Every structure is written in structure tokens, then in C-alpha cells.
Amino acid sequence: MLKIGNIEMKNPVVLAPMAGICNSAFRLTVKEFGAGLVCAEMISDKGIVMKNEKTMNMLYIDEREKPLSLQIFGGEKDTLVEAAKFVDENTNADIIDINMGCPVPKITKCDAGAKWLLDPDKIYEMVSAVTAAVSKPVTVKMRMGWDDDHIYAVRNAQAVERAGGKAVALHGRTRVQMYEGQANWDIIKEVKQNISIPLIGNGDVQTPQDAKRMLEETGVDGVMIGRAALGNPWMIYRTVKYLETGQLMDEPSVREKIDVCILHLDRLIALKSEYIAVREMRKHAAWYLKGIRGNGKARNAVNECNTREELVTLLNALALDAEAKEIQAG
């Protein structure tokens, strides 16, 4: 079973930290579908240190989400340590994760995120400073390298372990690849063979069968699911069940998809206000509607919705329409 420091998970299925996605409303919804661990979206160390209001709101964790890993990013040791100490002492997060994989230029320009991948010594220095300052387990999420000429995945992961890190999550792509091309599972396997702390594999886990294959082929201790869970928390549930029993559970019905989409919307409204939540929910609704007949037209209509009532009416009408078509076809 996946265990990070003194935190034990019920299963090895982990929700990836996705920027602009993994707020409490989304995490709780995924948690209820059985994820062993959920990760919060990355939070700026400087935002925490400056007590920025928006950043402070991002630190909210519902007790029902736990165990939870809260991810911070930064390029300077002093502010990273200060932010980690704040998370350690003032939040109910179980694990503090350091982002070492974000490929976005505005992050790497600040010597944060994937920029660390070029310097195993900096990784050791930064992670050491954080682990010495906090009592919660510290982990690192990283990519396999900056580009094809700078793949230091093994050295970087070993630096994390030497520095007192309790686990590594490894995405099998380089920074230059962003989210394109194929994830390299061979590198993940190589890293697993060269460290003794838990390794969580990430990249191209799109089906429950992919998760099982990653565990078997690479020997990782956990599998991290990111984009495959967007609008599809059933991916988490189906993966957990498949790993436990070998049985593939059915895909959700249209009604189930719509009901969970509305639950997610209401949680987002409670978290952020109706005005913000409805606008933010448009992209999520598009993901929930994937695979539903007539979803192209519906997605355009979703983008016109400004209130909960408008969005819920539209989603319910779509569900009724899809159910009617199923009856006709059946």
C-alpha cells in the first residue's frame, strides 16, 4: 500500500495537482470516487508569505478530502521555506509537495517549477531546507528532464531522497514536451530502481488498464491520474475497482454525469460565489459532456450561461434528451 512518511493511503490511485482545476470542490468530488490521495493545485510561495487574499483562499481544505497533498512552488529558498512552514503550522494538509515540473514560462522564468530539473544540487539544497523546517512529510512532483539533452531524473530523485523527501511523483515527459508526445515509462522504471522512497508514476494513464500496466511495468508505488479525470471522476473509481478486483465497471450514464456535474457546480458556488463559479464551471461542464450525443451544440450553450439556474436547466434538458434518445434506440 502507498505510504508517504506516516501517511497511509487506502489505495495507490492519486489525483494529480492541476493548476486552475484542483480546488476543494473538484478534489472532494474526486475523493468521493475513491482516490487514495488528492493533490491541491500549485500555490505560490510568495503569495503565501505576502498573505495574498486569493492565495490564502486556495489553502482551504475540507476535512473529507484527506489525506491531501498541498503543493507549493518557488525559486528562492527563503520564501519557499517560509511558505512551507506556514502550510505546516496553519493548514490541515497531510503532505507538503514542492512543484518541480510546471513547464509554463511564467513559472520557469522565476527559477521555479521545471527550471529546477537542470540542477540536482539546487534540488538537494532547497528540499533539505524545507524538510528541516517542517514536521509534515515533504514530497516533490517533477518531470523526467528539461529536454532530451538534460534528463537527470535519477540524480534529481536521489537528491530529493538524500534531502529527506518522503516520495517523488514523476511525469515521464520533459519540460520541452509540455503535454505532447508520449510519456517515457522506461525512465520512471529506472528511477524506481534507484531510490528507496515511494515513487508515483504520471503520464499517459488514460484507462484503468493503463494504471495496472504502469504499476506492473515500472514497479511504481502509486499511479497519478490528471487529465483523464477531467469531467470524469469515474476514471478514478473504475481504476481503483479494476486494481482491486480486475473487474471493469461500467461507464456512467448521461444522468449520472449530469448529476455529478451539478454537484461539482454547487460545491464551486459555495467555495467561490455563483458569479465566479458558473464561469469557471463552463470548462468543467464541457469535459463532463464529452461523449454525450449533441454535446457540441450544448457546449456552445454552456458558454452563454451566467447563472446557476441557466446552467442547471441546460444540463437537465440535455440529460432528458439523451435519455429519450436512448429509449428510442433501445
Side-chain angles (χ1 to χ4, degrees), residues 104-112 115:
V104 179
K106 76 170 184 183
I107 304 295
T108 56
K109 267 185 204 155
C110 308
D111 286 335
K115 197 64 185 282

Side-chain angles (χ1 to χ4, degrees), residues 60-307:
Y60 172 74
I61 298 160
D62 187 306
E63 276 293 314
R64 293 170 292 172
E65 298 175 49
K66 289 159 67 67
L68 175 132
S69 168
L70 197 144
Q71 188 182 77
I72 57 176
F73 74 91
E76 293 163 25
K77 188 163 62 175
D78 292 351
T79 45
L80 195 70
V81 167
E82 203 179 325
K85 279 167 81 169
F86 185 88
V87 171
D88 192 45
E89 292 161 14
N90 299 283
T91 77
N92 51 342
D94 300 281
I95 294 162
I96 300 171
D97 187 61
I98 301 172
N99 181 298
M100 217 172 79
C102 182
V104 179
K106 76 170 184 183
I107 304 295
T108 56
K109 267 185 204 155
C110 308
D111 286 335
K115 197 64 185 282
W116 290 30
L117 299 170
L118 293 164
D119 189 352
D121 292 337
K122 175 170 179 169
I123 291 168
Y124 175 76
E125 183 193 344
M126 299 284 265
V127 177
S128 293
V130 173
T131 57
V134 302
S135 58
K136 295 181 196 281
V138 175
T139 60
V140 169
K141 167 92 165 39
M142 67 185 208
R143 286 176 171 247
M144 69 176 186
W146 181 262
D147 57 25
D148 287 343
D149 298 323
H150 300 86
I151 294 178
Y152 307 143
V154 171
R155 281 167 62 198
N156 289 344
Q158 287 172 335
V160 172
E161 181 172 15
R162 268 199 340 274
K166 298 299 185 196
V168 170
L170 179 61
H171 184 155
R173 285 183 174 84
T174 61
R175 184 265 168 178
V176 167
Q177 270 182 285
M178 301 290 277
Y179 298 96
E180 302 299 317
Q182 209 175 352
N184 184 335
W185 288 10
D186 291 337
I187 290 279
I188 295 174
K189 181 179 181 179
E190 191 185 345
V191 170
K192 176 59 195 163
Q193 290 167 346
N194 284 280
I195 59 173
S196 55
I197 55 174
L199 182 68
I200 299 164
N202 179 218
D204 293 349
V205 178
Q206 284 150 358
T207 64
Q209 296 96 314
D210 289 339
K212 190 168 196 286
R213 198 162 54 82
M214 179 183 267
L215 285 163
E216 288 170 353
E217 288 181 11
T218 66
V220 288
D221 304 275
V223 282
M224 187 172 265
I225 296 171
R227 288 172 294 164
L230 295 175
N232 186 19
W234 295 270
M235 168 62 184
I236 302 288
Y237 170 73
R238 295 175 77 241
T239 299
V240 170
K241 289 292 174 204
Y242 185 68
L243 294 178
E244 283 172 357
T245 66
Q247 188 184 352
L248 263 182
M249 309 304 282
D250 289 341
E251 294 276 7
S253 67
V254 174
R255 183 76 256 174
E256 284 175 297
K257 282 187 167 191
I258 298 301
D259 286 348
V260 172
C261 184
I262 293 170
L263 171 69
H264 184 172
L265 166 66
D266 286 337
R267 284 179 171 159
L268 206 51
I269 289 170
L271 196 66
K272 297 193 173 192
S273 83
E274 183 175 1
Y275 181 87
I276 295 169
V278 170
R279 280 153 184 78
E280 203 171 291
M281 197 65 200
R282 290 170 182 170
K283 63 185 177 191
H284 288 282
W287 290 320
Y288 279 103
L289 296 179
K290 231 171 148 186
I292 296 176
R293 255 187 268 177
N295 75 344
K297 214 188 288 180
R299 281 209 310 265
N300 290 337
V302 162
N303 288 331
E304 303 296 317
C305 291
N306 293 308
T307 66

Side-chain angles (χ1 to χ4, degrees), residues 40-45 47-48 55 58-59 70-74:
E41 59 187 317
M42 63 178 189
I43 301 176
S44 155
D45 62 347
I48 294 171
T55 305
M58 289 169 79
L59 296 173
L70 197 144
Q71 188 182 77
I72 57 176
F73 74 91

